[in-house]
Amino acid sequence: MDIHTAVRIACYLPDLASFKRLRAQTDWGVPDNATITLALNNSVFGAVAIMEMATIGMIRIVGDGAMNVYVQDVIVDENYRGLGIGRRLVQTAIQWMQDTLPSSITVGLMAANGQDSFYETFGFTSRVSPKFGPGMQSQLSDLAVNFNSLSIGIGSPLAVTGQSS
């Protein structure tokens, strides 16, 4: 059986069980069901790789859909890695973004260790460059806020205001 004809890419999000099974094959951890459900519901786009009725890969796009989106959860079942399935998932997501989102939108991602060259083949560049500052990340629980250095007071209302013409 030719893997390229046996695997179908479908543009929808994975179900809860498939998401958990694929995430369990990474070092990223498996969140609880409520967190996964919220994350899936808040995704901008998703696609899955399916072979013989089983989900063997997934990708999600998250973000605001106007200025910034992020490629998230690109995972292929460990039994099918290295066969081009991840490439097909990323190609599908890029095509969807090109067809749907503003061309000026920033598309970001945080590549897993050793995967930067894979993403570079699509045109992504490492944030360690003269054009951009370094890409950074943290778990929310590890972040600290020094309220003494904030220019707004605790409890001050924050509002988004627009200018009327």
Side-chain angles (χ1 to χ4, degrees):
M1 173 180 1
D2 178 21
I3 192 75
H4 299 290
T5 57
V7 175
R8 179 174 60 92
I9 305 298
C11 294
Y12 56 81
L13 292 162
D15 60 39
L16 184 67
S18 297
F19 185 94
K20 289 174 75 169
R21 183 178 48 76
L22 290 168
R23 280 284 297 229
Q25 295 179 16
T26 71
D27 295 332
W28 307 334
V30 180
D32 61 68
N33 289 354
T35 300
I36 295 169
T37 300
L38 183 60
L40 291 173
N41 288 340
N42 286 329
S43 298
V44 176
F45 172 80
V48 292
I50 300 173
M51 188 167 95
E52 298 175 357
M53 305 291 288
T55 299
I56 61 167
M58 68 178 179
I59 188 171
R60 292 188 311 128
I61 304 298
V62 300
D64 58 33
M67 293 176 57
N68 298 285
V69 292
Y70 295 88
V71 177
Q72 189 70 36
D73 293 322
V74 180
I75 307 171
V76 175
D77 184 294
E78 58 196 4
N79 296 312
Y80 299 96
R81 292 180 187 163
L83 301 174
I85 297 167
R87 178 168 304 283
R88 289 177 58 197
L89 286 165
V90 173
Q91 288 169 333
T92 300
I94 290 172
Q95 186 64 60
W96 178 86
M97 288 187 282
Q98 289 174 337
D99 291 345
T100 309
L101 301 176
S103 62
S104 60
I105 200 163
T106 297
V107 181
L109 64 87
M110 290 180 275
N113 284 330
Q115 296 300 314
D116 49 332
S117 62
F118 170 73
Y119 292 107
E120 287 170 352
T121 66
F122 297 101
F124 289 96
T125 55
S126 174
R127 286 293 305 260
V128 183
S129 72
K131 186 175 179 181
F132 302 108
M136 302 177 85
Q137 75 177 56
S138 177
Q139 293 296 117
L140 182 58
S141 60
D142 294 335
L143 294 177
V145 175
N146 180 352
F147 285 106
N148 295 329
S149 67
L150 293 178
S151 60
I152 60 170
I154 298 173
S156 296
L158 297 176
V160 176
T161 60
Q163 297 179 343
S164 56
S165 30

